[in-house]
Structures are given as structure tokens and as C-alpha cells.
Amino acid sequence: MNKWIRWWGLIAFAAFCGLIIIFWLFFVDGFVRNMVERAGSAAAGAEVNVSSARLTISPLGIALSGIQVTDPKVPSTNSLEIGRVAFSLDGLNLLRRKIIIQEMSADGLLFGTARKKPGFVILPDTPAVQEKKTSSFALPSFAIPDVKQILQTEVFESVKLIDDANADVQKTAASWQKRMSELPSKSSLDSYRTRLDKLKISSRSSLKDLTSASLDAKKIKEDLDRDLERLKSSKTALSADLASLKELVAKAERAPLEDIRRIRDKYSISPSGLQNMSQALFGSKVVSWFDSGLVWYNRITPLIAGSGEGKGTVKVSKPLRGKGVDVRFREHAPLPDFLIRNVNTSMKPEAGSFAGTIRNITPDQDIIGIPLTFKFDGSGMKDLRTITLSGGFDHILSASYKDTIQVEVLGYRAGDMVLSGNKELPITLQDGLMDLEFKGLRTSKGLSATLSATFRSVRINTGNQGNSGMILSSLRSALSRVTAFKLSADISGEPGNYDVKVSSDLDRVFKDAVGRMVQEQSVKLEKDLKAAVQAKTEGKVKDLKASLGGLNTAGANIDAVQNELNTLLQEAKQKAEGKVKLSL
Amino acid sequence: MLSMIAKLLKVLNSEADPFQISVALGLSMITGFLPLFTPLNLLILLLVLVLRVNISSYLLGSAFFAGIAWFLDPIFHRIGLAVLTAGALEGSWTALYNTVLGRLQRFNNSVVMGSVIFSALFFVPLVLLLNIAIRKYRDHVLLWVKKTRFMQILMASKFYDLYEKLS
């Protein structure tokens, strides 16, 4: 027995295990801290710091303190700071590699705090949410334009179009001129007449003469038929050419008007443009708010979306670390690999309170069959009467997921809130109260959201009054008198490609203030433009019509020759028939 | 590197039972192929310490096979995945998956399962083959090697001094 057994080996093994346990107890807190920092940074897309981590064996739990999450957009600040996070772990399930946390508490939440040194930012693998084109939010120009200057700078498409049409007509006319010379003409008609006259013979003529005359008549008829056929096909071709050229000329005639309309719309505010001022002024701001929300949504959703890939009745999923793949089998008592049943959070603002609960955080909602839900309530805060934030991420059926969020803010005291960063008409809410309601829905089919905000007791600043023209001055003056207004936005589409429709009762204010002025300006500009554009194009259009008239004449000539030939043909037929009767 | 080769030669040329060396190398194959911190590796370590196998050979072999595992991982993954997703075995794997030990050992991981199966299949043949090889080496090769010109030169080198110091 002793030949094969080394009893001191048992002591060595126990000593080895003891050393491992001591080592683990000494360094486990550091391991936990590093692990949380690494996983947190990967999830947040920016540096996450943890001041200290403490693991307790009995009861098994972890307490983290001083958690700082760097804001990826402003790395010198924290988007979130949590004073303390504590939770207990289910030990038995941990041995089964399942992190099950029944209760987690997060206290001392702070937002937007300064960092001692800027945190690093992890660049995303996937392209960032595409920036919404801002062209649809551009304001029309408020300056009264000088027509002479417009004429110098603008390219008049109508002039080019008329020139091109004229060239086309000229080219077609030249082609038809050539073709007409090849068609039967007056000399051809005279030739036919001579040939027919030669057929005039008496009743005393011989049978041979009669037969010869009959053959000649037949030949003339055949020639006439051929020429008539050529004329017919030429006339059809000419008609087609004329139709397309007429269309071209009509388009060229309309072109100056279109130029006038286009330039007028570009340089003046149309009454319809005035109706969409809210879209132009607030659209980009709404997009910026919404994009910020989407960035966080895109960070959170991968954490709750299951990573499993079905393969028969078992499920294959890629582990976060390590090699190979983990194959998941049906469990007798199914539990997700990671689950936090309840997270209670609270923050202590300067005044009032803000607290909330998040339930069922797990990437395996299909296993527990319950969606993630959250609800936060705040009241009596310094600049805010009440705030409610609630919603849910339902990924139980990943193919038809449904994520919702509702935000309700009442009595938010807004100060120096930039509503529009437009250079010509910046709008800043210097002071005022805002009530806001936002509802967002994201499904596999797309996203939709509505925002409605009511502003009360407001003071609006529209920037430097300076030398800005009559319309802008009127708009500024009207805005400075506004004390309350409503703003609403509808968002729909796909992340990165969504439409925003903004409306506000400020549109009525804009219209009342400058509607008549804009109308008058628009009419005057249109009149001046009409005179200028007509001067440029009138002569060209006349030439074009004249060229087309030439082709119409060619058509009439073909008709005349065709009629003459038809008369000759009838004559030829009669003569041919007469000769045949005589010969009998 | 030189000291490792010297150690190996020392073990091979020692009076240790060839079976003790070959079993140690067989066990080191399992340790080397499996991820380091697993319950199965702890069990292997207990066996190595309690059974009278050559510890030097085990340590050297573990380092050697861990290096080889780096190249064999794709094969382990294929074997493991094929076995884990085989319909006929699903019941057994499901039962194992529902045990604490099964989850702790990560038998449901393709590389772990592949390396366990590979090691189990090759353990006995490897031990037997090494056993024969060591005996043959001691009976025939060792004497012949010592007489070769190469060995004569080698024996006069620094490497041999090192070997001598260790033996």
C-alpha cells in the first residue's frame, strides 16, 4: 500500500488549499472591484471607478462604495455617481454559476458630478446613432433680398431649358428639311400629270396600244401608291416629332414661372413656411434630447437581451470570457444566469426626495417570464415639483419585444434653457415653469414617441436685437411678449432614421406678428422676379415658337402633296379601268 | 529551458519507476488540457500528491501540455460541441447540468467537455506508451547515447555541468 500512497501528500494538499483560501480572502475584494470596474466600463462605454468593494462570507454578499460612471460625452464629469451599493448573493446558486440577487440597494445617487480627472471613453463597435439631418430644421431667410443680386447669383434653369429646347427644334427642323427634299414634290406631281396625259388614246386604237396603255396606267398607279405610302409614314413620324417638340416647348414656356417660384420660396418666407417655424426652431433641440435618450437605451438593451442561440432543444450561448461556447440544457428549476429581483434606489437632493425601484434585471426574461419594470418618483425638489419616470423592457419573446418609457414632469423651473440655437433667432427660456409629458415606445417594428410640454410664466430671450431687419425684429418683439406656450413633438421611424414633427402655438404668434409683412414681401419679390426673368426669357420663347411653326408648315406641305397624289391616283385608276373595258 | 531539459533527463535517468513517471505525465496531460482552476484539476492535484507518482514529471508535463492545449483548443471545442449537442446524450448532459458539480466544473462548456473526453481517451494509451518508451530508453538508448560523439561533446559542455549539479 505504502508503495503507492504518499500520506504526507494529504497534508501537502490541505496546506495548498489553505494557502489558496488565505490568498483569496486577502485579494478577493480587489478582484471584485476590478471585475465590477471592467464589466461596468464595458456596459457604460466609459470608465467606471469603484472606491472600495467588500465581500462578506456570512451572509454571502457584496458592498460597493463610491461608484463613478464617466459621462462618455463629457469625460470630465460623471453621468452617475452612486454612494453605496449593497446586495446579498444566493450561495448555492452561485456554485451553479448563477448570480441571483433578491434585493439590491443603491443609495446616494448623484448626476452630473465633476471628476477629479477625466475618465476614458470606449469607442463603440457599432456605428453611433446617425445624426439627424438638420436641413429640415433650417429657418427661412429673414432678410429682404435684392433682386439684382439674386439675378447675378442664381442659376436660371429656365434659360438653359429654353436654349436646349430651341436647339432640339432647330435640329429636328433641319432633319425634316432634308427629308422633305427626298419626298414627292411639285415636280413629281407634274411628272405624274404628264404620264397620265400620255394615256389619252382614241377608241380606234389597236388592241396592242390598249394593252400597253393599260400596263402604263397600272405602273403609274403602283408608283403613286408607293409615294403615297412614303408620305404617309413621313407624316406619322412628323406628327410624333411635333408632339414631343410641342411638349418640350410647353415645358420651356412654363420654366420661367417655376424659376420664379423656386427663387421666391428660397428668398422669402412663405405663409406655409411661417406655419412650420416651430419645426425649424425646436426640431434640432428635440432631436438632440431624443438622441441622448437613445444612446442610453442602446447601452441598456444589450444587457437585458438574451444572448442564447437555439440549437435543437438545447441552447448555445457565447460566454463573456473564456474559450469555447456554453451549451445550456433544460433546467429542472429554471433560473437565469443573472437576476436581480429588486433594486431600490434613492438619492438625497438638496431638497425633497427622489427614489425608485427597478424589478427583474436579467438577460433571460424568457426563463422568468416577467419583463423588467422600473418606476422612479421625485417630489419637492429644488427646481421641480414632481417627476415620475416609469416603463418596462419586455423581451420575454425576443422577436416581438416591447420597450416603453413614460416621463411626467410637473413644475420644472427652467432657467437659461436654450430652446433654439438658431443663429438668426436664438431662443432662450430665461425663466419659466415647464410641465412635460413624454411617452416612448420601441418595438421590433420601429419606434414612436410623443412629447408635449407646457411652458408657463416664461420670459424669452431672443439674443442681440442688433440690425436684423423688420421681420426678425417683429418676431423678437412678439416672442418677448409671450408668457405661455405649448410645444409638442411626434417622433416615429427607426433609431438613426426617424422623423420628428414639432408643432407649437408659437406658430400662431409668428403668423400674427409677421404674416402680412411676409405676404407683402413675397408678392413684391415675385413681381420683381417675374419682370426680370421674363426679360431674360421672353425673346428666346418667341424664337422657339417660331421654329416650331416652321415644322407645322412642313406638315401642311406634306398634306397638300398627299391630296394631289390621291387625286392623281383616282384618275390613274379610272384610266386603267377604262382601258381594260375598251380592250374587251 | 536548459534546466528544464536537464530536469527531464534527470528524471528519465533516475532510478524512479517508469510507471510513476508515465502516470504523472498522463495526469499532467489532463491538468494541462483543462482550464487551470476547476474542481477536476484540484482532484488531479490531490491524486498527484497522494499517489506516489513523480511530481517533477507532473509539473513539467503540465507546463508542456498547457502549451499544446493552446493549439488543440479548436479541436477540443469541436469535439465538445458535437458531444454536447448530440441528441442521444441530451438526457445525460441535462442531468449533469442540473448538478452543482456539473455547473462548477463547466462540463457544458465545449472546450472543457472536449478536453475531458480527449484526455480520457488518450490517458491509458499515453501512460502505456510512455511506460514502454522509458523502459526502452533506459535499456537501449541511454547507453548508446552516452557513447555517441555528440554526447561526448555535450558532456564536456556547460549544459552537462548543469545536469551534473542537478543529479
Side-chain angles (χ1 to χ4, degrees), chain A residues 530-578:
Chain A
K530 205 170 185 176
V533 173
Q534 268 178 354
K536 274 187 174 230
T537 57
E538 212 167 25
K540 288 175 187 285
V541 172
K542 260 185 195 167
D543 290 348
L544 181 63
K545 283 182 173 172
S547 302
L548 192 67
L551 270 174
N552 276 324
T553 313
N557 285 343
I558 291 176
D559 283 345
V561 174
Q562 200 175 14
N563 287 338
E564 284 285 329
L565 284 176
N566 274 323
T567 311
L568 286 169
L569 183 66
Q570 289 302 319
E571 212 174 307
K573 274 182 184 170
Q574 281 168 10
K575 288 203 170 172
E577 283 164 8

Short mmCIF file of all heavy atoms in Angstrom, two decimals, chain A residues 530-578:
data_model
loop_
_atom_site.label_atom_id
_atom_site.label_comp_id
_atom_site.label_asym_id
_atom_site.label_seq_id
_atom_site.Cartn_x
_atom_site.Cartn_y
_atom_site.Cartn_z
N LYS A 530 -40.49 88.17 -61.64
CA LYS A 530 -41.22 87.88 -62.88
C LYS A 530 -40.71 88.80 -64.00
O LYS A 530 -40.41 88.35 -65.11
CB LYS A 530 -42.72 88.07 -62.65
CG LYS A 530 -43.58 87.27 -63.57
CD LYS A 530 -45.01 87.37 -63.08
CE LYS A 530 -45.91 86.48 -63.88
NZ LYS A 530 -47.27 86.47 -63.37
N ALA A 531 -40.61 90.06 -63.67
CA ALA A 531 -40.18 91.05 -64.68
C ALA A 531 -38.76 90.71 -65.14
O ALA A 531 -38.47 90.72 -66.34
CB ALA A 531 -40.22 92.44 -64.07
N ALA A 532 -37.90 90.39 -64.17
CA ALA A 532 -36.50 90.12 -64.51
C ALA A 532 -36.36 88.84 -65.32
O ALA A 532 -35.62 88.81 -66.32
CB ALA A 532 -35.69 90.04 -63.23
N VAL A 533 -37.07 87.82 -64.92
CA VAL A 533 -36.93 86.54 -65.61
C VAL A 533 -37.56 86.60 -67.00
O VAL A 533 -37.01 86.07 -67.97
CB VAL A 533 -37.56 85.40 -64.75
CG1 VAL A 533 -37.59 84.09 -65.52
CG2 VAL A 533 -36.78 85.22 -63.47
N GLN A 534 -38.67 87.31 -67.08
CA GLN A 534 -39.32 87.43 -68.38
C GLN A 534 -38.41 88.16 -69.37
O GLN A 534 -38.34 87.82 -70.55
CB GLN A 534 -40.65 88.18 -68.25
CG GLN A 534 -41.80 87.20 -68.02
CD GLN A 534 -43.13 87.88 -67.83
OE1 GLN A 534 -43.21 89.09 -67.74
NE2 GLN A 534 -44.18 87.08 -67.76
N ALA A 535 -37.73 89.19 -68.88
CA ALA A 535 -36.81 89.94 -69.75
C ALA A 535 -35.73 89.02 -70.30
O ALA A 535 -35.25 89.19 -71.42
CB ALA A 535 -36.18 91.08 -68.96
N LYS A 536 -35.37 88.06 -69.51
CA LYS A 536 -34.30 87.14 -69.94
C LYS A 536 -34.82 86.09 -70.90
O LYS A 536 -34.07 85.58 -71.73
CB LYS A 536 -33.72 86.41 -68.72
CG LYS A 536 -32.64 87.16 -68.01
CD LYS A 536 -32.03 86.29 -66.95
CE LYS A 536 -30.85 86.96 -66.30
NZ LYS A 536 -29.68 86.17 -66.23
N THR A 537 -36.08 85.71 -70.77
CA THR A 537 -36.56 84.53 -71.50
C THR A 537 -37.59 84.80 -72.60
O THR A 537 -37.80 83.95 -73.45
CB THR A 537 -37.17 83.53 -70.50
OG1 THR A 537 -38.22 84.18 -69.79
CG2 THR A 537 -36.14 82.99 -69.52
N GLU A 538 -38.21 85.98 -72.55
CA GLU A 538 -39.32 86.24 -73.47
C GLU A 538 -38.90 86.05 -74.94
O GLU A 538 -39.57 85.34 -75.72
CB GLU A 538 -39.86 87.65 -73.26
CG GLU A 538 -41.34 87.75 -73.51
CD GLU A 538 -41.93 89.07 -73.00
OE1 GLU A 538 -41.17 90.07 -72.89
OE2 GLU A 538 -43.12 89.08 -72.69
N GLY A 539 -37.79 86.72 -75.32
CA GLY A 539 -37.32 86.65 -76.71
C GLY A 539 -37.01 85.22 -77.12
O GLY A 539 -37.35 84.77 -78.23
N LYS A 540 -36.39 84.48 -76.22
CA LYS A 540 -36.00 83.10 -76.51
C LYS A 540 -37.23 82.22 -76.75
O LYS A 540 -37.23 81.37 -77.63
CB LYS A 540 -35.19 82.53 -75.35
CG LYS A 540 -33.79 83.12 -75.25
CD LYS A 540 -33.09 82.61 -74.02
CE LYS A 540 -31.76 83.29 -73.79
NZ LYS A 540 -30.70 82.84 -74.68
N VAL A 541 -38.28 82.47 -75.94
CA VAL A 541 -39.50 81.66 -76.09
C VAL A 541 -40.15 81.95 -77.45
O VAL A 541 -40.63 81.04 -78.14
CB VAL A 541 -40.49 81.94 -74.93
CG1 VAL A 541 -41.83 81.27 -75.18
CG2 VAL A 541 -39.90 81.45 -73.62
N LYS A 542 -40.12 83.26 -77.89
CA LYS A 542 -40.69 83.64 -79.19
C LYS A 542 -39.97 82.91 -80.32
O LYS A 542 -40.60 82.37 -81.24
CB LYS A 542 -40.54 85.16 -79.37
CG LYS A 542 -41.82 85.91 -79.06
CD LYS A 542 -41.65 87.37 -79.37
CE LYS A 542 -42.79 88.15 -78.72
NZ LYS A 542 -42.52 89.58 -78.73
N ASP A 543 -38.64 82.91 -80.24
CA ASP A 543 -37.82 82.23 -81.27
C ASP A 543 -38.18 80.74 -81.31
O ASP A 543 -38.27 80.15 -82.39
CB ASP A 543 -36.32 82.35 -80.94
CG ASP A 543 -35.84 83.78 -81.13
OD1 ASP A 543 -36.61 84.57 -81.73
OD2 ASP A 543 -34.72 84.08 -80.68
N LEU A 544 -38.35 80.19 -80.14
CA LEU A 544 -38.65 78.77 -80.05
C LEU A 544 -39.99 78.45 -80.74
O LEU A 544 -40.10 77.49 -81.51
CB LEU A 544 -38.71 78.38 -78.56
CG LEU A 544 -38.98 76.94 -78.22
CD1 LEU A 544 -37.86 76.05 -78.74
CD2 LEU A 544 -39.11 76.76 -76.72
N LYS A 545 -40.97 79.28 -80.48
CA LYS A 545 -42.29 79.06 -81.09
C LYS A 545 -42.23 79.23 -82.61
O LYS A 545 -42.88 78.48 -83.35
CB LYS A 545 -43.30 80.04 -80.50
CG LYS A 545 -43.78 79.66 -79.12
CD LYS A 545 -44.80 80.63 -78.63
CE LYS A 545 -45.43 80.17 -77.33
NZ LYS A 545 -46.28 81.19 -76.76
N ALA A 546 -41.42 80.19 -83.03
CA ALA A 546 -41.28 80.42 -84.47
C ALA A 546 -40.66 79.19 -85.15
O ALA A 546 -41.10 78.77 -86.23
CB ALA A 546 -40.40 81.65 -84.71
N SER A 547 -39.66 78.62 -84.53
CA SER A 547 -39.00 77.43 -85.09
C SER A 547 -39.99 76.28 -85.20
O SER A 547 -40.01 75.54 -86.18
CB SER A 547 -37.85 76.99 -84.19
OG SER A 547 -36.94 78.03 -84.07
N LEU A 548 -40.83 76.17 -84.20
CA LEU A 548 -41.82 75.10 -84.21
C LEU A 548 -42.85 75.34 -85.33
O LEU A 548 -43.32 74.38 -85.98
CB LEU A 548 -42.51 75.03 -82.85
CG LEU A 548 -43.37 73.81 -82.60
CD1 LEU A 548 -42.50 72.56 -82.52
CD2 LEU A 548 -44.15 73.95 -81.31
N GLY A 549 -43.15 76.62 -85.56
CA GLY A 549 -44.09 76.98 -86.63
C GLY A 549 -43.61 76.48 -87.98
O GLY A 549 -44.39 76.02 -88.83
N GLY A 550 -42.30 76.55 -88.23
CA GLY A 550 -41.70 76.06 -89.48
C GLY A 550 -42.02 74.59 -89.70
O GLY A 550 -42.34 74.16 -90.83
N LEU A 551 -41.95 73.83 -88.66
CA LEU A 551 -42.24 72.40 -88.78
C LEU A 551 -43.72 72.15 -89.07
O LEU A 551 -44.08 71.23 -89.80
CB LEU A 551 -41.85 71.69 -87.48
CG LEU A 551 -40.43 71.19 -87.43
CD1 LEU A 551 -40.14 70.65 -86.04
CD2 LEU A 551 -40.18 70.10 -88.45
N ASN A 552 -44.57 73.01 -88.50
CA ASN A 552 -46.00 72.89 -88.77
C ASN A 552 -46.27 73.10 -90.26
O ASN A 552 -47.09 72.41 -90.86
CB ASN A 552 -46.78 73.93 -87.96
CG ASN A 552 -47.06 73.42 -86.56
OD1 ASN A 552 -47.29 72.24 -86.36
ND2 ASN A 552 -47.02 74.32 -85.59
N THR A 553 -45.55 74.06 -90.87
CA THR A 553 -45.69 74.34 -92.31
C THR A 553 -45.30 73.10 -93.12
O THR A 553 -45.93 72.76 -94.13
CB THR A 553 -44.77 75.53 -92.69
OG1 THR A 553 -44.97 76.56 -91.75
CG2 THR A 553 -45.10 76.04 -94.08
N ALA A 554 -44.22 72.46 -92.69
CA ALA A 554 -43.77 71.23 -93.38
C ALA A 554 -44.88 70.19 -93.38
O ALA A 554 -45.13 69.52 -94.40
CB ALA A 554 -42.53 70.68 -92.70
N GLY A 555 -45.59 70.11 -92.30
CA GLY A 555 -46.70 69.16 -92.19
C GLY A 555 -47.80 69.51 -93.19
O GLY A 555 -48.36 68.64 -93.85
N ALA A 556 -48.09 70.81 -93.30
CA ALA A 556 -49.13 71.26 -94.24
C ALA A 556 -48.73 70.94 -95.68
O ALA A 556 -49.55 70.53 -96.51
CB ALA A 556 -49.34 72.76 -94.06
N ASN A 557 -47.44 71.10 -95.98
CA ASN A 557 -46.94 70.80 -97.34
C ASN A 557 -47.14 69.33 -97.67
O ASN A 557 -47.54 68.98 -98.78
CB ASN A 557 -45.45 71.14 -97.44
CG ASN A 557 -45.24 72.65 -97.52
OD1 ASN A 557 -46.19 73.39 -97.81
ND2 ASN A 557 -44.04 73.09 -97.25
N ILE A 558 -46.83 68.48 -96.69
CA ILE A 558 -47.00 67.04 -96.91
C ILE A 558 -48.47 66.74 -97.20
O ILE A 558 -48.80 65.98 -98.11
CB ILE A 558 -46.49 66.23 -95.70
CG1 ILE A 558 -44.98 66.32 -95.60
CG2 ILE A 558 -46.92 64.76 -95.80
CD1 ILE A 558 -44.38 65.65 -94.38
N ASP A 559 -49.34 67.39 -96.43
CA ASP A 559 -50.79 67.18 -96.62
C ASP A 559 -51.20 67.57 -98.04
O ASP A 559 -51.95 66.83 -98.71
CB ASP A 559 -51.58 68.03 -95.62
CG ASP A 559 -51.56 67.40 -94.23
OD1 ASP A 559 -51.20 66.21 -94.13
OD2 ASP A 559 -51.89 68.10 -93.26
N ALA A 560 -50.71 68.72 -98.51
CA ALA A 560 -51.09 69.21 -99.86
C ALA A 560 -50.65 68.22 -100.94
O ALA A 560 -51.42 67.84 -101.84
CB ALA A 560 -50.46 70.57 -100.09
N VAL A 561 -49.37 67.78 -100.83
CA VAL A 561 -48.83 66.84 -101.83
C VAL A 561 -49.62 65.53 -101.77
O VAL A 561 -49.97 64.94 -102.80
CB VAL A 561 -47.33 66.60 -101.60
CG1 VAL A 561 -46.80 65.51 -102.52
CG2 VAL A 561 -46.54 67.87 -101.79
N GLN A 562 -49.95 65.12 -100.54
CA GLN A 562 -50.68 63.86 -100.36
C GLN A 562 -52.06 63.95 -101.05
O GLN A 562 -52.48 63.03 -101.75
CB GLN A 562 -50.85 63.60 -98.86
CG GLN A 562 -51.14 62.16 -98.54
CD GLN A 562 -51.18 61.93 -97.02
OE1 GLN A 562 -51.25 62.87 -96.25
NE2 GLN A 562 -51.13 60.68 -96.64
N ASN A 563 -52.72 65.09 -100.90
CA ASN A 563 -54.03 65.28 -101.53
C ASN A 563 -53.93 65.23 -103.06
O ASN A 563 -54.73 64.58 -103.73
CB ASN A 563 -54.63 66.63 -101.11
CG ASN A 563 -55.10 66.57 -99.66
OD1 ASN A 563 -55.37 65.48 -99.13
ND2 ASN A 563 -55.21 67.73 -99.01
N GLU A 564 -52.93 65.91 -103.56
CA GLU A 564 -52.71 65.92 -105.03
C GLU A 564 -52.47 64.52 -105.55
O GLU A 564 -53.04 64.09 -106.56
CB GLU A 564 -51.49 66.80 -105.37
CG GLU A 564 -51.72 68.30 -105.29
CD GLU A 564 -52.52 68.82 -106.47
OE1 GLU A 564 -52.41 68.24 -107.57
OE2 GLU A 564 -53.32 69.77 -106.26
N LEU A 565 -51.64 63.80 -104.82
CA LEU A 565 -51.31 62.42 -105.25
C LEU A 565 -52.56 61.54 -105.22
O LEU A 565 -52.76 60.70 -106.09
CB LEU A 565 -50.23 61.83 -104.34
CG LEU A 565 -48.81 62.32 -104.59
CD1 LEU A 565 -47.86 61.70 -103.57
CD2 LEU A 565 -48.32 61.94 -105.98
N ASN A 566 -53.40 61.76 -104.20
CA ASN A 566 -54.64 60.98 -104.11
C ASN A 566 -55.53 61.24 -105.32
O ASN A 566 -56.13 60.32 -105.87
CB ASN A 566 -55.39 61.32 -102.83
CG ASN A 566 -54.87 60.47 -101.66
OD1 ASN A 566 -54.55 59.30 -101.86
ND2 ASN A 566 -54.79 61.06 -100.48
N THR A 567 -55.63 62.50 -105.73
CA THR A 567 -56.44 62.87 -106.91
C THR A 567 -55.89 62.16 -108.15
O THR A 567 -56.63 61.55 -108.94
CB THR A 567 -56.38 64.40 -107.12
OG1 THR A 567 -56.66 65.04 -105.89
CG2 THR A 567 -57.40 64.85 -108.17
N LEU A 568 -54.55 62.22 -108.28
CA LEU A 568 -53.91 61.57 -109.43
C LEU A 568 -54.15 60.06 -109.40
O LEU A 568 -54.35 59.43 -110.44
CB LEU A 568 -52.40 61.86 -109.43
CG LEU A 568 -52.01 63.29 -109.83
CD1 LEU A 568 -50.54 63.53 -109.53
CD2 LEU A 568 -52.28 63.52 -111.32
N LEU A 569 -54.13 59.54 -108.21
CA LEU A 569 -54.32 58.09 -108.08
C LEU A 569 -55.72 57.68 -108.56
O LEU A 569 -55.88 56.70 -109.29
CB LEU A 569 -54.12 57.68 -106.62
CG LEU A 569 -54.22 56.21 -106.30
CD1 LEU A 569 -53.08 55.44 -106.96
CD2 LEU A 569 -54.21 55.96 -104.80
N GLN A 570 -56.73 58.47 -108.16
CA GLN A 570 -58.11 58.19 -108.60
C GLN A 570 -58.17 58.22 -110.12
O GLN A 570 -58.77 57.34 -110.77
CB GLN A 570 -59.08 59.24 -108.02
CG GLN A 570 -59.31 59.10 -106.52
CD GLN A 570 -59.84 57.75 -106.12
OE1 GLN A 570 -60.70 57.18 -106.80
NE2 GLN A 570 -59.27 57.18 -105.07
N GLU A 571 -57.54 59.25 -110.68
CA GLU A 571 -57.52 59.41 -112.14
C GLU A 571 -56.86 58.21 -112.80
O GLU A 571 -57.38 57.66 -113.79
CB GLU A 571 -56.73 60.69 -112.48
CG GLU A 571 -57.25 61.38 -113.75
CD GLU A 571 -56.53 62.70 -113.96
OE1 GLU A 571 -56.51 63.52 -113.02
OE2 GLU A 571 -55.98 62.88 -115.04
N ALA A 572 -55.74 57.82 -112.23
CA ALA A 572 -54.98 56.67 -112.79
C ALA A 572 -55.83 55.40 -112.75
O ALA A 572 -55.84 54.61 -113.72
CB ALA A 572 -53.70 56.46 -112.02
N LYS A 573 -56.58 55.24 -111.64
CA LYS A 573 -57.44 54.05 -111.50
C LYS A 573 -58.52 54.03 -112.58
O LYS A 573 -58.76 53.02 -113.24
CB LYS A 573 -58.11 54.06 -110.12
CG LYS A 573 -57.29 53.45 -109.04
CD LYS A 573 -58.10 53.48 -107.75
CE LYS A 573 -57.27 52.95 -106.60
NZ LYS A 573 -57.96 53.20 -105.33
N GLN A 574 -59.18 55.22 -112.72
CA GLN A 574 -60.26 55.32 -113.73
C GLN A 574 -59.73 55.00 -115.12
O GLN A 574 -60.35 54.28 -115.90
CB GLN A 574 -60.83 56.74 -113.73
CG GLN A 574 -61.80 56.97 -112.57
CD GLN A 574 -62.14 58.45 -112.40
OE1 GLN A 574 -61.80 59.28 -113.26
NE2 GLN A 574 -62.81 58.74 -111.31
N LYS A 575 -58.56 55.56 -115.44
CA LYS A 575 -58.00 55.34 -116.78
C LYS A 575 -57.64 53.87 -116.98
O LYS A 575 -57.89 53.31 -118.05
CB LYS A 575 -56.77 56.23 -116.97
CG LYS A 575 -57.19 57.68 -117.12
CD LYS A 575 -56.17 58.50 -117.84
CE LYS A 575 -56.80 59.87 -118.14
NZ LYS A 575 -55.83 60.79 -118.68
N ALA A 576 -57.08 53.29 -115.98
CA ALA A 576 -56.69 51.88 -116.09
C ALA A 576 -57.92 51.01 -116.33
O ALA A 576 -57.91 50.14 -117.20
CB ALA A 576 -55.98 51.42 -114.83
N GLU A 577 -59.02 51.34 -115.57
CA GLU A 577 -60.26 50.55 -115.73
C GLU A 577 -60.85 50.78 -117.12
O GLU A 577 -61.30 49.86 -117.80
CB GLU A 577 -61.28 50.94 -114.67
CG GLU A 577 -60.95 50.34 -113.32
CD GLU A 577 -61.71 51.01 -112.19
OE1 GLU A 577 -62.60 51.84 -112.46
OE2 GLU A 577 -61.36 50.70 -111.02
N GLY A 578 -60.83 52.07 -117.62
CA GLY A 578 -61.37 52.41 -118.95
C GLY A 578 -60.68 51.66 -120.05
O GLY A 578 -61.30 51.11 -120.97
#
